Amino acid sequence: MPEHVLITGGAGFIGTRLAARFAQDGHRITVLDSLIPQVHGDDPETTSPLLRSLDGVADVVVGSVESVDDLRRALAGATIVVHLAAETGTGQSMYEIDRYVGANVGGTAKLLDILANEDHGVGRVVIASSRSIYGEGAYLTQDGRRVFPGHRADADMAAGDFDVHLPGEGPLRVIPTDESALLHPSSVYGITKQMQESLVMTVAPTIGVEAAAVRYQNVYGPGQSLKNPYTGILSIFSTLIRQGKEINIFEDGEESRDFVYIDDVVEATYLAATDPRAAGEIFNVGSGVATTVNEVVEALFSAFGREVPTRISGNYRLGDIRHNVADTSHLADRLGFTPRVGFREGVAAFVEWVLSEPVEEDQYQRSLDEMAQRNLLK
């Protein structure tokens, strides 16, 4: 049976692709999005290809999850909610605290308050969570114990020691983090994502609504914002390469992330929203492969067919983690889905799309200056 799907934050990078996936199977889609300039430009009707891609695909409600009236309008008739709406950006979250908490936690609370207290037809809510809730994630000690280290010390990183340590232990080895891992986020953004997930997974079952959570790793691919300096290094580095500018590689370049291609994220989220087996479940959504920043730079140089100067600066940001790689076996075991797009293949497709887009003004340095002024960038 066709569903009526509300996607909050649905005019963004993930939401627009997800809307198209639902439409492909004949579902009706409503999108609620505030169309913030940081993502969509000052005149979204003309400056946002993402918004234009929803023409004929979804009914768009321009509004905020922080407005009960906007939420009520968007929820009318909905049977499934995919809650993507959130302020994103680890660094920015450390000094725009009220904005992040208001949108991410407050918006989720308002959504659940309506579902708990008013008539509706919603049967399932999928919350877009984040790998950031794990903090440093899982490591192994030399004698094989699984441990979850705390945040790295400023003093250690200032001395050029970027590795993760535990008192009294030798070198630790990063391992894939599964859904049972300790949750101890190291940024305001991570804290808000943990609260979003906890609210949905706790409240929804008590009001007769199925819930599922998808913990996204580092999502990338064609369509991601090239304007927003808080969207990740693939966009940032691509803009610098096209402008012929130097790439400043933080720490020693050996920090790693789990980069997962947009098509894989969309399919996993679609299954979390529609598959009966997903009810009550939490899924890591990643590639299951750790890729270092140095490897990212090399892959981009190869895909662009050109290089720019690089500098391994030893700079670091407070709140950043050292490594990240997801254990995705639960997604495979429960829903039968494994990521299909490898990093090199995904980067090639991403760069092909980037080269079709205008060269954007570099906002990255401004974002770094903001952090440095607040002593968050060293």
Side-chain angles (χ1 to χ4, degrees):
M1 290 289 292
E3 303 279 359
H4 183 169
V5 185
L6 167 62
I7 307 175
T8 70
F13 169 44
I14 298 172
T16 51
R17 299 287 280 263
L18 183 61
R21 177 66 181 87
F22 276 109
Q24 177 185 319
D25 280 2
H27 301 292
R28 178 182 173 186
I29 305 102
T30 297
V31 159
L32 173 65
D33 203 292
S34 59
L35 303 179
I36 63 171
Q38 186 167 286
V39 175
H40 296 281
D42 294 326
D43 182 15
E45 292 289 343
T46 58
T47 59
S48 177
L50 291 172
L51 178 61
R52 292 198 299 273
S53 74
L54 294 172
D55 290 347
V57 173
D59 298 320
V60 178
V61 176
V62 179
S64 169
V65 291
E66 296 184 75
S67 165
V68 171
D69 289 339
D70 291 344
L71 281 167
R72 285 194 184 109
R73 282 194 296 137
L75 279 165
T79 57
I80 293 174
V81 176
V82 181
H83 187 35
L84 300 178
E87 296 290 350
T88 60
T90 299
Q92 191 180 47
S93 77
M94 300 296 284
Y95 56 89
E96 296 200 15
I97 299 158
D98 183 61
R99 182 162 72 92
Y100 274 72
V101 173
N104 299 1
V105 181
T108 304
K110 286 180 172 63
L111 170 64
L112 291 170
D113 200 82
I114 293 172
L115 297 181
N117 294 293
E118 300 181 17
D119 291 336
H120 62 83
V122 175
R124 181 174 295 187
V125 175
V126 177
I127 177 64
S129 188
S130 167
R131 57 92 185 160
S132 63
I133 69 176
Y134 293 124
E136 279 294 346
Y139 286 73
L140 278 185
T141 63
Q142 289 180 302
D143 60 1
R145 289 175 292 115
R146 189 171 73 142
V147 293
F148 305 100
H151 315 326
R152 293 178 292 169
D154 188 359
D156 289 341
M157 293 191 286
D161 179 2
F162 302 111
D163 288 328
V164 177
H165 302 286
L166 274 180
E169 299 286 353
L172 302 175
R173 178 168 64 89
V174 66
I175 58 173
T177 300
D178 67 20
E179 293 86 352
S180 70
L182 177 69
L183 305 183
H184 59 155
S186 59
S187 67
V188 172
Y189 171 68
I191 293 168
T192 66
K193 297 306 288 185
Q194 181 183 355
M195 293 180 73
Q196 280 188 300
E197 180 186 303
S198 296
L199 283 167
V200 170
M201 300 305 292
T202 300
V203 173
T206 71
I207 58 174
V209 176
E210 295 176 346
V214 280
R215 293 175 178 170
Y216 296 151
Q217 310 301 302
N218 291 68
V219 186
Y220 75 98
Q224 73 183 82
S225 176
L226 299 174
K227 303 183 185 76
N228 186 349
Y230 308 101
T231 54
I233 61 172
L234 283 162
S235 288
I236 292 164
F237 288 176
S238 292
T239 297
L240 293 173
I241 291 169
R242 296 186 75 189
Q243 294 175 335
K245 293 183 178 180
E246 178 187 76
I247 293 176
N248 176 0
I249 298 174
F250 286 2
E251 301 188 15
D252 57 4
E254 290 303 301
E255 62 273 30
S256 66
R257 298 292 183 267
D258 185 330
F259 293 95
V260 57
Y261 193 68
I262 180 63
D263 291 355
D264 288 328
V265 169
V266 165
E267 192 61 27
T269 308
Y270 181 82
L271 291 172
T274 59
D275 193 314
R277 296 170 296 180
E281 299 294 325
I282 297 171
F283 302 100
N284 282 336
V285 178
S287 68
V289 177
T291 303
T292 69
V293 173
N294 288 329
E295 290 170 336
V296 169
V297 172
E298 193 276 327
L300 286 171
F301 285 170
S302 176
F304 275 107
R306 63 174 296 194
E307 298 184 8
V308 297
T310 60
R311 175 170 55 94
I312 297 177
S313 65
N315 291 141
Y316 59 93
R317 297 185 304 183
L318 298 181
D320 271 358
I321 61 169
R322 176 64 169 170
H323 296 299
N324 170 62
V325 59
D327 181 333
T328 60
S329 58
H330 183 51
L331 181 65
D333 293 344
R334 188 75 176 179
L335 300 183
F337 180 75
T338 56
R340 301 183 176 97
V341 181
F343 185 65
R344 290 279 177 166
E345 178 188 354
V347 167
F350 170 69
V351 168
E352 182 180 6
W353 168 76
V354 168
L355 290 172
S356 71
E357 295 293 302
V359 180
E360 296 292 346
E361 180 184 355
D362 179 16
Q363 300 290 332
Y364 181 49
Q365 189 57 50
R366 176 180 59 79
S367 71
L368 297 182
D369 291 343
E370 289 178 359
M371 293 197 70
Q373 289 166 8
R374 293 164 174 84
N375 207 35
L376 296 169
L377 173 65
K378 304 295 183 79

